[in-house]
Structures are given as C-alpha cells and as structure tokens.
Amino acid sequence: MDDIVRQAMAKWPRVPHCHGWLGLDARGGWYMRDDRTQAAGPFPQSKGSLLRHDKLIAFIHRNYERDDQGQWYFQNGPQRVYVELEATPWIWRLDGQGGLSTHTGRSAVVRAAYVDEAGRLYLDTDLGLGLVHTLDMALAADRVESGEWQPVEVSSADLPTRFGFIRSPWAAQAAVAAPE
C-alpha cells in the first residue's frame, strides 16, 4: 500500500466505504461504474467505462487488497472502494518461461488447478484463486498436457464459498442493509 494512502487513512479514519463503483472483469480490466451504470444492472451485465489511464491503474494495483470477509477493494486514500468481480479476485497471466503473475503484476506459485463447466481454467496459488486470462490458455494447455497442472472439475458457482471471496460486495452490503 502506498505511504500517501496510509497517511490519508490515519488523518481521516471514518470515511464511508464505497460500493458498486469499480468492477474487475474476467480479463483483468477495471471498470468505473457511475450511478446510471449501476441502475442499469449488476456487474458484469452493466460494466461501465473501461479505465485506460495507466497511472490510475497502477495506483489501483498497488492498493488492491482483501478484507476479513473476503471482499476485495481498492484503498483510495482514506476510502475503501469495494470491487465487483466478474470471476475471481485474480486474473492470471503466463509469460511463456514458466512464470505466473496476477493482473496487478504480483508473482505467484501454483498449488492446484481447476476447470469449470464452461472449460475455464482456475489456479489456486499462494496468493489465492484466480482465472487464467483467455490470451494465455495456449500456454496453460501446455502445462496441463505436460502434467505439471492436473485440473480438477469444479462448479464456478462454488468457487466463492470454497475459496473465501465475495464476487459482489455491493450485493452483500445491500442484503445486510435491507429490512426484513
């Protein structure tokens, strides 16, 4: 986390959290979701605007974290901006030399591989679960064919519970706030 972010958190400790405004798609793209986009439906059906500003994306990457409930967020100064996930908290990129990294550039070590009902490949690593980027499936197939990775079948609907993450903090927050 950036030092300037830590300083802002100390200076303004009671800034409310933000839900529904930021999404991460299955290819590692970040989407800004304004009020109109949110009103049009949940992420990813209503994605919003793809972020293209390199410095903003780098700032998000450096300050991307997980809370104790399994909700992923971007610490934007004193405010947590919770992230709507299309698939998983991490999107894996393979480099062709055996390296594996997250969409944020962090290196990881594979512990297990999974394949879902749609043929999507997931890797459980020392950083947690992530989806292999579609552009890297040929490299991933080489690792599967060599026996390095031996995917086990899994239901995509079971992944959040099994691996401890929440795809939609916005929906989770709304469910807690809704009267019975």
Side-chain angles (χ1 to χ4, degrees):
M1 190 176 294
D2 289 359
D3 284 336
I4 194 167
V5 171
R6 285 191 186 92
Q7 293 168 9
M9 290 168 60
K11 187 172 183 179
W12 298 290
R14 293 185 184 89
V15 173
H17 301 321
C18 180
H19 292 85
W21 287 84
L22 186 63
L24 176 68
D25 77 359
R27 294 174 58 96
W30 295 101
Y31 286 82
M32 185 62 64
R33 306 182 70 243
D34 61 16
D35 284 330
R36 187 172 46 91
T37 302
Q38 291 178 47
F43 189 79
Q45 290 79 19
S46 181
K47 282 190 173 181
S49 301
L50 178 64
L51 297 181
R52 298 185 186 276
H53 191 278
D54 292 338
K55 288 185 180 184
L56 174 58
I57 293 168
F59 183 63
I60 292 170
H61 287 177
R62 288 192 310 271
N63 296 285
Y64 182 56
E65 302 282 337
R66 176 190 183 277
D67 72 11
D68 293 337
Q69 288 75 45
Q71 301 175 109
W72 286 80
Y73 64 92
F74 152 56
Q75 189 71 47
N76 183 26
Q79 184 175 54
R80 282 187 180 180
V81 178
Y82 282 96
V83 178
E84 299 293 300
L85 304 171
E86 181 174 355
T88 59
W90 300 115
I91 306 302
W92 301 121
R93 299 305 314 257
L94 287 73
D95 67 12
Q97 278 74 52
L100 176 73
S101 62
T102 68
H103 64 282
T104 66
R106 293 177 62 184
S107 296
V109 177
V110 176
R111 297 187 293 214
Y114 300 89
V115 64
D116 73 7
E117 61 280 356
R120 292 174 292 210
L121 182 63
Y122 302 87
L123 302 174
D124 181 28
T125 74
D126 57 329
L127 298 178
L129 186 77
L131 175 66
V132 174
H133 193 289
T134 56
L135 293 177
D136 296 338
M137 285 303 293
L139 292 170
D142 291 341
R143 290 186 171 179
V144 170
E145 288 177 4
S146 74
E148 180 182 349
W149 297 343
Q150 298 176 5
V152 174
E153 289 186 14
V154 67
S155 167
S156 63
D158 295 339
L159 294 173
T161 301
R162 185 171 181 174
F163 292 96
F165 66 92
I166 295 174
R167 281 197 178 116
S168 179
W170 184 36
Q173 181 261 348
V176 169
E180 293 185 28

